[in-house]
């Protein structure tokens, strides 16, 4: 067996796993870094160890806050978790910009989620349809022990249908469900229902035909939930926009830039990435599944067969209007929303919202983020804002002291930041300091 092949790894302690990594993959310093990020409180560390298989340490990201978010007449300080340095600054700037104009109007269109049993049926489709109709109501009754609790919370199974997809793939059918999962993201609820229903079908079908006819292939929720959508708008009189000398020219440029994202996929994808910079940061901070949200959002952007921008801008009378519709399947109970202490704190900061309210907040942050990015792009460009953060990162890498950081920030106030220039200035500063120390 290869010397790096390992058996029983998951059962080892974190310390043993790190020792093993140090033997095969890591320097002593790398191993020490992993150990140094363990939480000082073993009970808290244990919570984090429970979130994934084989954890050896914790991975920190900044937990930031964007204040001044006026959404549906309520003022929020929004928690955001992201590694991209300019994202929170951009969100906070947009929140402040839109505040005097009434902020953002955000409305859940629906919270309906979907899930499917994917199956092959190798007999007359009419026979399958007859079987499905014969058992459907009985199965809904049988599922009561699983749906009762959800129904008490206002959710449950909304519909179930047999879909003939044989025009796409020979013998392919789905049992297609629509769910309301109340305040939970609902993954466990949905998948449990699907697996139960599929088991019932497998058990009962032999009374209708040969067991060979029916092959259940998969039972899984879908991350494509086009009905589970939020609509968010921001509106301001053009005259009142504080954007330099000519707000009308500015507004026209903004609308044009948004139109470019609608018609050009190269721009559209980047434009939507800017939206997701904001959405994902809220989704992550509140312990939701950002991969599901990403997959769903981009599929929705391509729903008409051509990828397009999720947001748009228009001039309506004297006003500039920004608008976006976005599918967002979020939860405020279940998953790690309450068990991850920082996700719980994030939700508390938002006033422990319902799933719908969280969807409205995340969508508003997405539109704010999008506005900030496009605003920068059509005015001073994106680099100026990025550069301040870039400078900080370079100085961090070069282990600059607080005094050196202050001096370099001043030097680069109006200068382009690049690694060599920063290094040169820092070395010059350090040399002159050494010189001063020697001659003092
Ligand atoms: C960078 O993370 C996001 C932007 O590229 C978005 C955009 O171009 O609209 C600035």
């Amino acid at each position: 067996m290869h010397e790096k092949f390992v058996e029983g790894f998951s059962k080892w302690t974190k310390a043993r796993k790190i020792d093993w990594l140090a033997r095969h993959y890591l320097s002593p310093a790398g191993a020490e870094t992993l150990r140094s990020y363990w939480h000082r409180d073993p009970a808290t560390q244990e919570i984090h160890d429970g979130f994934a298989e084989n954890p050896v340490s914790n991975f920190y990201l900044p937990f930031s806050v964007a204040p001044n978010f006026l959404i549906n007449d309520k003022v929020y300080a929004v928690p955001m978790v992201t590694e991209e340095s300019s994202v929170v600054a951009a969100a906070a700037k947009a929140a402040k910009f839109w505040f005097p104009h009434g902020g953002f109007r955000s409305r859940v269109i629906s919270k309906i989620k979907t899930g499917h049993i994917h199956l092959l049926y190798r007999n007359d489709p009419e026979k399958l349809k007859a079987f499905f109709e014969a058992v459907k109501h009985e199965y809904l009754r049988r599922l009561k022990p699983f749906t009762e609790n959800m129904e008490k919370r206002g959710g449950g199974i909304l519909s179930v249908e047999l879909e003939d997809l044989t025009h796409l793939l020979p013998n392919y059918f789905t049992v297609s469900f629509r769910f309301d999962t109340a305040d939970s993201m609902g993954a466990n609820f949905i998948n449990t229902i699907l697996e139960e229903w599929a088991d019932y079908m497998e058990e009962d079908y032999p009374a209708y035909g040969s067991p060979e006819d029916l092959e259940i292939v998969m039972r899984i929720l879908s991350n494509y939930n086009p009905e589970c959508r939020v609509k968010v708008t921001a509106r301001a009189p053009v005259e009142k926009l504080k954007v330099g000398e000519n707000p009308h020219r500015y507004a026209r440029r903004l609308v044009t830039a948004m139109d470019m994202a609608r018609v050009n996929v190269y721009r559209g994808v980047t434009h939507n990435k800017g939206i997701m910079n904001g959405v994902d940061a809220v989704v992550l901070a509140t312990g939701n599944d950002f991969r599901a949200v990403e997959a769903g959002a981009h599929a929705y952007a391509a729903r008409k067969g051509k990828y397009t921008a999720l947001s748009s801008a228009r001039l309506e009378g004297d006003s500039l209007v920004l608008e976006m519709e976005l599918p967002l399947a979020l939860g405020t109970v279940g998953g790690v929303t309450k068990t991850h202490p920082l996700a719980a704190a994030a939700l508390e900061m938002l006033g422990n919202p319902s799933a719908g309210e969280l969807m409205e907040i995340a969508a508003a942050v997405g539109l704010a983020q999008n506005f900030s990015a496009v605003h920068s792009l059509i005015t001073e460009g994106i680099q100026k804002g990025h550069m301040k953060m870039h400078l900080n990162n370079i100085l961090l890498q070069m282990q600059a002291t607080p005094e050196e950081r202050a001096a370099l920030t001043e030097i680069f106030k109006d200068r382009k930041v690049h690694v060599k220039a920063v290094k040169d200035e820092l070395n010059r500063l350090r040399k002159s300091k050494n010189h001063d120390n020697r001659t003092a």
Side-chain angles (χ1 to χ4, degrees):
M1 198 56 80
H2 194 282
E3 56 159 357
K4 287 180 181 167
F5 184 84
V6 58
E7 204 107 49
F9 188 75
S10 67
K11 297 191 183 67
W12 296 355
T13 62
K14 284 200 298 299
R16 186 170 171 201
K17 288 186 181 95
I18 294 178
D19 287 346
W20 180 85
L21 288 168
R23 235 173 299 126
H24 295 292
Y25 294 101
L26 275 178
S27 64
E32 188 42 41
T33 301
L34 290 182
R35 278 188 290 265
S36 72
Y37 275 81
W38 291 358
H39 199 280
R40 64 179 185 289
D41 170 26
T44 305
Q45 185 54 52
E46 208 176 309
I47 294 173
H48 290 273
D49 289 348
F51 291 140
E53 183 82 349
N54 294 339
V56 290
S57 191
N58 306 304
F59 191 100
Y60 287 13
L61 284 177
F63 181 112
S64 305
V65 176
N68 303 324
F69 258 101
L70 181 58
I71 304 167
N72 301 336
D73 301 321
K74 208 165 151 184
V75 182
Y76 295 91
V78 180
M80 298 178 75
V81 170
T82 176
E83 92 302 344
E84 189 172 331
S85 48
S86 58
V87 163
V88 182
K93 209 166 138 192
K96 215 164 153 187
F97 180 96
W98 286 98
F99 198 105
H101 306 298
F104 299 86
R105 293 269 142 210
S106 198
R107 182 173 56 84
V108 167
I109 292 172
S110 128
K111 294 204 334 271
I112 295 171
K113 292 167 191 155
T114 57
H116 302 87
I117 298 169
H118 301 264
L119 61 93
L120 295 177
Y121 187 71
R122 301 185 185 89
N123 202 330
D124 178 3
E126 290 309 316
K127 226 172 141 181
L128 179 64
K129 282 175 202 163
F131 166 60
F132 180 76
E133 287 308 323
V135 295
K136 178 172 154 178
H137 295 288
E138 157 62 13
Y139 287 5
L140 287 170
R141 255 194 309 278
R142 253 199 248 176
L143 280 167
K144 275 285 166 212
F146 300 95
T147 56
E148 234 165 17
N149 240 339
M150 187 58 87
E151 281 161 7
K152 272 190 208 137
R153 286 155 45 200
I157 302 172
L158 300 179
S159 66
V160 50
E161 277 167 30
L162 182 71
E163 275 187 313
D164 184 337
L165 300 179
T166 51
H167 56 292
L168 301 176
L169 200 70
N171 308 320
Y172 183 21
F173 291 81
T174 59
V175 182
S176 170
F177 290 78
R178 287 159 73 249
F179 300 94
D180 183 335
T181 59
D183 280 332
S184 69
M185 217 204 103
N188 281 334
F189 171 72
I190 294 177
N191 289 332
T192 302
I193 298 295
L194 298 175
E195 293 194 1
E196 282 295 313
W197 189 290
D199 286 351
Y200 301 162
M201 283 178 81
E202 273 174 341
E203 276 164 31
D204 295 344
Y205 183 75
Y208 290 78
S210 157
E212 310 299 308
D213 295 346
L214 176 72
E215 184 180 343
I216 306 277
V217 180
M218 294 179 284
R219 309 88 102 205
I220 186 70
L221 62 75
S222 174
N223 291 123
Y224 187 53
N225 291 302
E227 287 186 89
C228 186
R229 241 171 40 245
V230 187
K231 179 173 179 168
V232 54
T233 50
R235 174 188 294 268
V238 175
E239 278 297 338
K240 297 243 165 87
L241 296 175
K242 292 209 174 81
V243 282
E245 271 151 36
N246 192 337
H248 289 278
R249 180 169 176 275
Y250 169 85
R252 274 196 308 275
R253 265 170 82 79
L254 192 92
V255 171
T256 305
M258 303 286 259
D259 283 347
M260 287 170 171
R262 184 165 49 80
V263 299
N264 178 346
V265 65
Y266 286 94
R267 179 56 206 143
V269 171
T270 320
H271 176 101
N272 289 346
K273 192 271 183 181
I275 294 168
M276 301 315 286
N277 273 344
V279 173
D280 282 346
V282 179
V283 170
L284 203 51
T286 54
N288 274 276
D289 181 343
F290 61 92
R291 287 87 56 212
V293 167
E294 279 283 336
H298 294 290
Y300 185 73
R303 69 195 177 284
K304 292 183 182 154
K306 182 178 180 296
Y307 191 94
T308 189
L310 288 162
S311 65
S312 61
R314 63 178 185 275
L315 292 167
E316 209 175 86
D318 296 335
S319 295
L320 171 68
V321 183
L322 305 185
E323 193 169 277
M324 177 170 77
E325 278 192 31
L326 179 79
L328 265 179
L330 301 182
T332 51
V333 297
V336 301
T337 54
K338 295 280 158 38
T339 49
H340 194 302
L342 287 172
L347 287 168
E348 187 188 336
M349 200 186 291
L350 293 172
N352 288 319
S354 64
E357 190 179 349
L358 182 61
M359 287 161 67
E360 290 170 346
I361 296 166
V365 176
L367 187 62
Q369 196 72 38
N370 175 229
F371 167 74
S372 243
V374 179
H375 170 86
S376 295
L377 292 170
I378 63 166
T379 54
E380 61 188 16
I382 210 77
Q383 282 310 84
K384 197 168 167 205
H386 276 202
M387 280 306 138
K388 213 171 108 199
M389 308 292 185
H390 187 41
L391 177 64
N392 280 341
N393 286 343
I394 299 171
L395 292 173
L396 207 65
Q397 273 168 28
M398 296 179 72
Q399 297 174 345
T401 64
E403 298 84 63
E404 287 171 340
R405 259 188 271 163
L408 271 278
T409 304
E410 186 56 29
I411 292 170
F412 281 93
K413 206 167 59 188
D414 296 312
R415 266 180 65 183
K416 284 222 150 73
V417 175
H418 54 89
V419 179
K420 183 168 178 324
V422 177
K423 268 189 183 158
D424 288 350
E425 287 295 347
L426 188 60
N427 288 336
R428 206 182 341 266
L429 194 76
R430 283 175 176 169
K431 261 189 208 142
S432 77
K433 197 158 175 223
N434 283 342
H435 176 78
D436 290 350
N437 287 345
R438 277 200 303 276
T439 50

